[in-house]
Amino acid sequence: IFSIFFFNSKLFQKKIKSELLIVSHLLKPPLKINDFKNDYYFSEFEKNKAFKKKKRFKILINHTSYFKKGFRDKKKIILQNYTSFSSSIIIFSKLFFQFLRFFTLSFFSKVGSPANLRIIALEFLSPKTFNNLIFKNNLKLLMKKAEIKKVFFTFEGYGWERFLCEIIKKNDKDTKVIAYQFAALLKQQNSMFQKIHPRYLPHIVLTVGKINFRILKKKFSNVLILGSSRHFFGRKKFINNKHKKRINCLVLPEGIDTECKNLIYFTIKCAKNNPKIKFILRFHPLTNVKKLLFSMKFLDSIKDYKNVVISKKSLLSDIKSSSICFYRGSTSVITAVQYGVFPFYIDFENKLNIDPMYKINHLLCYLRTFRDFNLKIYENAQLSMMKKIRRFAQNYFLKFNQSSLTKIVNI
């Protein structure tokens, strides 16, 4: 229904003719309509001399509540989360048909468990599935007769990334599709490594460091280490917490509300039992902090605790002032460890392991309850463990290699 009011067909009328196409994300609205300078994902790319010399066009996937009718100028387009009314009806009809098909099969099929078939059926009614197909439809409209030599996009294993590869290759078989795998690879992350047809895969995968390179090269034929803007060679000397007069604990939740809430509740319990430790909550850019805290009645729950604060500083500033951190799936922990912050993974019972450092992390760093924190905060073994974890973190996000990017751009 919303597509009747918001879909803007004018966004797709002009043909894209560009040497480089960048597919990125709008996480926060800019202060001014033309102020899109700070790209969270491609900031290092946009500093590159060869990259800047090329004619570029950027597609921004909109994660905000702004630009409902989209936006387009000569250099970029902010995609809508809507498509035409007729296309929306077709997409919904196809999804509903598949839902009915699998739901019916769950009662009669002898292949596969009924529960799993019903889970598959419900996935067809998921808003994420619908949004992926809207993206695919809008991308088809945008790529119609487009002339592009290379495409760079963020690579995390989402469905829209496969649609992007398929549409770009179908539009022009000579266009190079290059994926930038910029984040951590988690233990339970399977979608990126599923066996699928090559038309859904990029030609080249760029990654951030040695750890992910070893994992990715087992699946993809052309993987290169490019590095990351998140590389930081810290010089802070690690000191055992028992020798510190003041301890700051940096709390690093993901951009998922349920994860935020779980980590906040855990932090409040620890704060109650450790009044001398300051807990600094630092939220992901995707989090609507006001909405989240209001839903939790957060300010009421911490009014008696002066040692819990919400950060308004930069990540680096928070890291420099902290000696320990709480995390689950956030890759900011790797940057923190590079600087010498000791990590505590909050290993909730009956929750999936989403530790980005699962390959190196030790049980010493895992907490189930606030009582575990009280026991482990002053462990002597932290010093020897920290050396090992820090080496791992230094190899995770390597320094961004501008000369390597220049070669790729000029291929």
Side-chain angles (χ1 to χ4, degrees):
I1 295 171
F2 287 114
S3 61
I4 298 173
F5 304 102
F6 292 120
F7 180 65
N8 183 2
S9 61
K10 292 179 182 178
L11 291 174
F12 307 98
Q13 288 175 359
K14 195 171 181 181
K15 172 182 166 182
I16 296 176
K17 190 174 181 180
S18 184
E19 290 177 281
L20 305 179
L21 175 68
I22 303 99
V23 183
S24 190
H25 306 263
L26 182 67
L27 303 180
K28 288 184 177 180
L31 295 174
K32 295 179 181 178
I33 195 67
N34 290 315
D35 184 19
F36 289 88
K37 292 177 182 177
N38 297 318
D39 191 309
Y40 182 77
Y41 304 95
F42 291 101
S43 59
E44 290 297 322
F45 286 70
E46 291 172 345
K47 293 175 186 176
N48 184 275
K49 289 180 181 179
F51 197 85
K52 288 195 284 187
K53 285 179 182 177
K54 301 289 184 181
K55 188 178 180 182
R56 307 184 308 279
F57 190 83
K58 183 179 284 189
I59 296 173
L60 288 163
I61 299 171
N62 193 359
H63 298 277
T64 76
S65 57
Y66 297 82
F67 301 106
K68 288 186 185 296
K69 291 196 173 184
F71 173 81
R72 181 167 181 169
D73 61 17
K74 292 179 181 179
K75 294 183 178 180
K76 61 188 168 293
I77 180 172
I78 300 173
L79 283 181
Q80 293 184 277
N81 294 320
Y82 309 99
T83 192
S84 67
F85 181 70
S86 58
S87 296
S88 297
I89 294 296
I90 291 167
I91 290 169
F92 180 77
S93 300
K94 287 180 178 179
L95 288 175
F96 191 70
F97 173 77
Q98 292 297 334
F99 162 75
L100 290 175
R101 178 175 165 237
F102 279 91
F103 190 74
T104 305
L105 278 172
S106 70
F107 293 99
F108 304 105
S109 178
K110 294 179 181 179
V111 180
S113 73
N116 285 342
L117 288 169
R118 282 172 202 144
I119 289 169
I120 293 169
L122 289 171
E123 279 299 309
F124 286 105
L125 297 185
S126 164
K128 286 185 179 180
T129 306
F130 191 73
N131 287 338
N132 278 335
L133 292 174
I134 284 175
F135 175 82
K136 181 181 181 181
N137 193 71
N138 287 346
L139 195 65
K140 274 184 179 179
L141 294 173
L142 199 59
M143 289 296 107
K144 198 172 183 181
K145 297 180 181 178
E147 293 179 27
I148 302 159
K149 291 184 179 178
K150 292 183 183 72
V151 178
F152 293 87
F153 71 96
T154 55
F155 191 37
E156 296 180 86
Y158 291 120
W160 69 262
E161 299 162 1
R162 294 173 183 177
F163 292 144
L164 175 71
C165 293
E166 179 195 18
I167 291 165
I168 296 295
K169 289 178 178 182
K170 194 173 182 179
N171 178 67
D172 186 344
K173 63 180 181 180
D174 294 323
T175 302
K176 285 288 179 188
V177 184
I178 304 165
Y180 182 42
Q181 192 280 309
F182 65 92
L185 292 173
L186 307 179
K187 191 175 185 178
Q188 310 294 341
Q189 194 166 346
N190 299 315
S191 60
M192 193 182 287
F193 303 103
Q194 289 175 350
K195 192 174 182 180
I196 55 175
H197 195 280
R199 69 170 171 266
Y200 298 110
L201 300 174
H203 295 112
I204 302 170
V205 177
L206 307 176
T207 191
V208 291
K210 294 178 183 178
I211 309 301
N212 286 3
F213 175 76
R214 292 182 196 125
I215 300 169
L216 290 164
K217 70 178 183 179
K218 294 175 184 177
K219 164 68 179 176
F220 301 97
S221 58
N222 196 355
V223 183
L224 303 171
I225 297 174
L226 187 63
S228 171
S229 60
R230 298 165 78 179
H231 171 80
F232 184 82
F233 190 77
R235 297 183 181 276
K236 185 168 75 173
K237 186 178 179 182
F238 180 77
I239 302 169
N240 193 290
N241 291 316
K242 66 170 61 178
H243 302 303
K244 295 176 182 175
K245 291 182 181 179
R246 184 177 181 83
I247 298 172
N248 286 350
C249 177
L250 182 59
V251 184
L252 297 166
E254 290 179 274
I256 303 167
D257 283 1
T258 52
E259 285 292 329
C260 285
K261 289 177 182 179
N262 289 334
L263 210 50
I264 288 169
Y265 289 135
F266 182 88
T267 299
I268 291 171
K269 286 181 182 178
C270 290
K272 183 180 179 181
N273 287 273
N274 297 276
K276 291 183 179 180
I277 298 176
K278 184 179 179 182
F279 295 86
I280 304 166
L281 294 171
R282 179 175 186 82
F283 292 99
H284 189 279
L286 276 177
T287 303
N288 186 328
V289 179
K290 287 184 180 179
K291 185 179 176 182
L292 173 74
L293 298 183
F294 180 78
S295 70
M296 295 177 65
K297 297 182 179 178
F298 174 78
L299 295 177
D300 291 334
S301 63
I302 65 158
K303 63 184 177 183
D304 297 325
Y305 307 122
K306 293 182 180 180
N307 59 333
V308 180
V309 298
I310 298 170
S311 173
K312 293 182 180 179
K313 298 178 181 179
S314 68
L315 174 62
L316 196 56
S317 179
D318 284 335
I319 286 171
K320 285 181 177 180
S321 67
S322 303
S323 53
I324 58 175
C325 67
F326 289 167
Y327 75 103
R328 273 181 53 75
S330 173
T331 52
S332 293
V333 67
I334 296 167
T335 308
V337 171
Q338 286 177 339
Y339 195 78
V341 177
F342 191 85
F344 284 111
Y345 177 76
I346 313 306
D347 187 28
F348 293 121
E349 195 172 358
N350 300 323
K351 295 279 185 181
L352 288 175
N353 186 314
I354 53 172
D355 183 1
M357 298 199 297
Y358 72 94
K359 283 188 171 290
I360 188 70
N361 221 335
H362 190 271
L363 290 177
L364 171 69
C365 311
Y366 275 43
L367 306 177
R368 273 276 167 94
T369 68
F370 70 90
R371 295 183 185 87
D372 294 338
F373 177 64
N374 296 341
L375 291 170
K376 293 183 179 183
I377 182 64
Y378 301 112
E379 284 268 9
N380 286 323
Q382 281 184 10
L383 183 59
S384 59
M385 188 63 195
M386 187 63 200
K387 290 177 181 177
K388 191 177 180 183
I389 298 173
R390 201 170 184 177
R391 272 197 307 271
F392 177 87
Q394 293 292 1
N395 283 322
Y396 208 107
F397 290 131
L398 295 179
K399 186 178 180 181
F400 194 91
N401 192 327
Q402 292 290 355
S403 60
S404 291
L405 179 59
T406 300
K407 290 176 184 176
I408 293 163
V409 169
N410 291 328
I411 290 173

